[in-house]
Amino acid sequence: MKKMDDGKLLRIVLWLLLCAVGAYILIKGMSLDKKTLVNMCRDAQEKAIEAYLPGILETEGVKTQTPVEWLCSKVEEQLPFLGTIQAKEMEETEKDQETDKKIMEENSDFLEAKLLEENQEAGPVGSGEENTGGVDAQSENRESAGNTEGGSQQEAGTGKDNTQTADAGDAGQQEASAANAIVNPISLDMFQDFDYVISNFYTIDKTTSINSDQLNAPALVSEDLKMTTGSDQPQILVYHSHSQEEFIDSNPGDPSTSIVGVGEYLVTLLRDTYGYNVLHVTDTFDIVDGKLDRNKAYNYAQDKISQVLEENPSVEVVIDLHRDGVPDDKHLVTDVNGKPTAKIMFFNGLSRTNQNGDIEYLPNPYIQDNLAFSLQLALQAKQYYPEWLRTIYLRGYRYNLHLRPKALLVECGAQTNTVEEEMNAMEPLADVLNKVLKGE
C-alpha cells in the first residue's frame, strides 16, 4: 500500500512537470534544448529520490521542500518575471500602507490643532476676551454691569408695532442666509465637558459662581427655543435701559446716533429681512430731572416694559440693547463680511451672589431659559462669526431678565466704537437671533 501511494504521488509530480513544460513552450515559443531537458530530468530524478528515499537528501536542521513548493520554485525559475511582479506588488502595498499611515497622522494632527484652537479661542476664565486681545472683563468699568437693579425717570412714549408680510421676510431671509456659512463648526458633544464650556463661552464675575448643576450645558443647547407666535402678532420687543449710551462719533442729543438708533436698525433688520413683528420701546429710563442718572434705570424700565408686555402677551423675545463701558484705549472691533464691526457680549444675571446666596427680592423663574437663549446664540455666533463674539458675562443680579423666558441683555461694543461699527454689528446679531428662533 505504501509503495502504491508513493507511485501515485510520483505520477502526479511527473504530470505537473509535463504541464509546466507545456506552459513554458507555449509562453516562450521555443523547443527544449538539451541543457534544459537534462536539468528537468535531474530534477525529476531528485523528486523520485525524495519520494522513495527522503533521508538521503535531508541535512540536519534543514527543512526540505514539499513537492508543491518545489514545483512552484521551478515555475518561477522558468518564468522569472513572476517574481518581479510579486516584488513590485509587495513594494506598492508597503507604499500604500505608509501613505495611509501618513494621512491618518496628518488628520490626527489637524484635528488636535483645531481642538486646541477652539479650546484657546475664548481665553481662560475671567479674561472676558478671546485671544484676539481686549480688556479683562472683571477689571472693566462696566456702566451697565456696575449698576444693580436701577434706572431713571421715564418720559412719555409708546412702542411701535412694526410688521411685515411673511413672504417678504422669507425672501429677505434666504438672501441673508446665502451670504454666510459655518466657518467654525462646533460639535454638540463638546458641551458634555463643563470645563470646555466655561473656558470657551463664559466670563464669571467675581461676585458670583456657577457649577455644572446650575449650568447644564447639554440641556441648554438642546432646549427648543423656536418662535411659536406668528408674525400677525408682536413677537419681539427691543428696548434700552440706558437709552443715553453714545459712541465716539455720536452727535450729542441725536438719538439716531445713540444706542436707540442702533436698536432701530436691529428692529428694521428683524422686521424687513427676517419677517418678524417687532416692537421698539424708545422711552428714556436714565434721565432724572434733566440729568443722567442710572441708579434706578432698571426699575423704571421694568415698570414700562411690564406694562407693554401685559398689553402684548404674544411677545416671546425681550432684548435690552446696551453698549459696554471700557477703558478709553480699548477698541472692541473686528471684521465681519468686510465691514468694521463692534464686538458683542451677551449678559446673564443669576440672582445669586457668593456673599448672600440666592437674592430673594430679585426672583427669576427663567434663569435656565435665559441661559439657554444666550448660550444658543453664542454657539451660532461662534460658528458663523467666531471673531465677533465676546464671552457671555455672568453676574449676580437680575437685570429684568425675569420678564420673559427668552429675555436677553446685549452689550454691543463700547463708547470707543463708531456708530458705523455699532450699526454693522446688528447684521450678524439679527442673523444669529433668526437662526435660534427658527431652530436652524
Side-chain angles (χ1 to χ4, degrees):
M1 182 65 69
K2 177 78 166 54
K3 287 185 178 181
M4 185 178 296
D5 292 339
D6 291 339
K8 185 177 180 180
L9 178 62
L10 182 59
R11 286 195 297 272
I12 291 173
V13 171
L14 291 175
W15 274 107
L16 290 174
L17 286 173
L18 289 175
C19 290
V21 170
Y24 177 86
I25 293 173
L26 289 175
I27 295 174
K28 292 286 188 177
M30 56 184 290
S31 58
L32 296 176
D33 55 47
K34 182 177 180 180
K35 182 177 180 181
T36 300
L37 184 60
V38 170
N39 289 337
M40 291 183 64
C41 290
R42 184 186 301 116
D43 290 336
Q45 185 180 21
E46 289 177 355
K47 301 316 294 181
I49 294 174
E50 286 179 10
Y52 290 95
L53 300 168
I56 296 177
L57 298 179
E58 286 188 6
T59 303
E60 186 176 359
V62 178
K63 184 180 183 298
T64 58
Q65 289 180 312
T66 65
V68 175
E69 290 173 342
W70 174 83
L71 179 61
C72 290
S73 65
K74 292 307 164 186
V75 172
E76 185 174 336
E77 288 178 4
Q78 298 301 318
L79 304 174
F81 63 87
L82 290 178
T84 302
I85 293 176
Q86 291 176 349
K88 185 174 182 180
E89 289 178 348
M90 290 181 64
E91 181 180 355
E92 292 297 329
T93 300
E94 291 176 355
K95 287 182 178 180
D96 290 342
Q97 292 175 345
E98 184 67 22
T99 300
D100 291 341
K101 182 179 179 182
K102 287 182 178 179
I103 291 174
M104 290 176 65
E105 289 176 350
E106 290 174 359
N107 285 344
S108 177
D109 292 342
F110 171 76
L111 293 175
E112 289 179 4
K114 292 299 291 181
L115 179 59
L116 180 62
E117 179 183 338
E118 289 179 1
N119 285 341
Q120 292 177 341
E121 182 181 348
V125 176
S127 70
E129 286 296 327
E130 297 91 318
N131 56 9
T132 54
V135 63
D136 186 325
Q138 293 185 10
S139 65
E140 287 178 359
N141 174 23
R142 298 184 175 278
E143 294 182 7
S144 59
N147 298 324
T148 58
E149 306 286 297
S152 175
Q153 182 179 1
Q154 68 179 25
E155 297 178 354
T158 58
K160 295 181 180 179
D161 184 353
N162 297 315
T163 61
Q164 182 70 12
T165 63
D167 292 341
D170 289 342
Q173 179 183 345
Q174 292 173 2
E175 180 180 355
S177 298
N180 65 80
I182 291 178
V183 297
N184 180 40
I186 299 175
S187 170
L188 293 183
D189 291 340
M190 300 299 295
F191 289 86
Q192 300 289 337
D193 184 346
F194 179 72
D195 291 334
Y196 166 81
V197 174
I198 293 297
S199 297
N200 286 270
F201 287 88
Y202 291 97
T203 293
I204 304 174
D205 190 272
K206 61 183 179 181
T207 63
T208 193
S209 61
I210 199 163
N211 57 41
S212 58
D213 292 330
Q214 298 160 337
L215 196 155
N216 185 344
L220 296 179
V221 295
S222 301
E223 186 171 336
D224 186 357
L225 299 176
K226 292 193 292 291
M227 181 74 74
T228 60
T229 302
S231 59
D232 58 330
Q233 303 178 78
Q235 299 167 297
I236 301 173
L237 185 151
V238 178
Y239 73 105
H240 315 275
S241 293
H242 300 161
S243 64
Q244 302 305 299
E245 289 176 335
E246 296 181 332
F247 310 101
I248 194 169
D249 60 347
S250 294
N251 296 323
D254 182 0
S256 68
T257 63
S258 71
I259 194 65
V260 174
V262 175
E264 184 60 28
Y265 184 44
L266 174 63
V267 169
T268 300
L269 290 169
L270 291 172
R271 181 190 63 216
D272 296 343
T273 302
Y274 298 101
Y276 293 101
N277 191 327
V278 189
L279 304 178
H280 189 196
V281 175
T282 60
D283 293 33
T284 300
F285 306 116
D286 52 355
I287 295 290
V288 178
D289 296 330
K291 297 180 181 180
L292 182 66
D293 186 346
R294 290 178 176 152
N295 290 327
K296 294 186 178 180
Y298 286 97
N299 290 18
Y300 296 142
Q302 178 184 338
D303 293 340
K304 177 61 180 182
I305 301 305
S306 296
Q307 177 186 343
V308 175
L309 292 175
E310 185 176 351
E311 296 169 354
N312 299 275
S314 61
V315 171
E316 294 186 30
V317 178
V318 177
I319 301 172
D320 187 4
L321 184 63
H322 293 252
R323 62 104 169 118
D324 207 352
V326 301
D328 290 337
D329 60 345
K330 300 300 180 183
H331 191 193
L332 303 174
V333 68
T334 188
D335 182 278
V336 175
N337 296 328
K339 300 178 182 179
T341 305
K343 293 188 176 185
I344 65 106
M345 176 179 70
F346 301 124
F347 196 105
N348 282 101
L350 303 179
S351 293
R352 180 180 61 254
T353 64
N354 293 329
Q355 183 176 357
N356 301 315
D358 292 339
I359 304 176
E360 299 297 333
Y361 63 89
L362 297 176
N364 182 359
Y366 304 129
I367 288 178
Q368 292 301 312
D369 299 303
N370 297 161
L371 289 171
F373 195 32
S374 61
L375 183 57
Q376 289 191 28
L377 289 168
L379 173 59
Q380 294 288 359
K382 277 186 174 289
Q383 292 190 120
Y384 287 88
Y385 312 100
E387 301 300 323
W388 171 65
L389 180 72
R390 302 166 67 195
T391 49
I392 301 169
Y393 200 85
L394 300 180
R395 206 162 190 264
Y397 297 95
R398 187 174 62 178
Y399 304 102
N400 287 335
L401 297 176
H402 66 295
L403 297 177
R404 280 292 188 272
K406 291 194 282 281
L408 185 70
L409 195 159
V410 185
E411 300 273 10
C412 181
Q415 82 281 4
T416 54
N417 286 97
T418 65
V419 175
E420 178 188 15
E421 292 165 353
E422 293 287 319
M423 295 291 186
N424 290 340
M426 295 302 98
E427 296 171 6
L429 178 58
D431 184 36
V432 296
L433 279 166
N434 178 67
K435 290 182 188 302
V436 171
L437 295 177
K438 291 292 177 63
E440 295 181 1

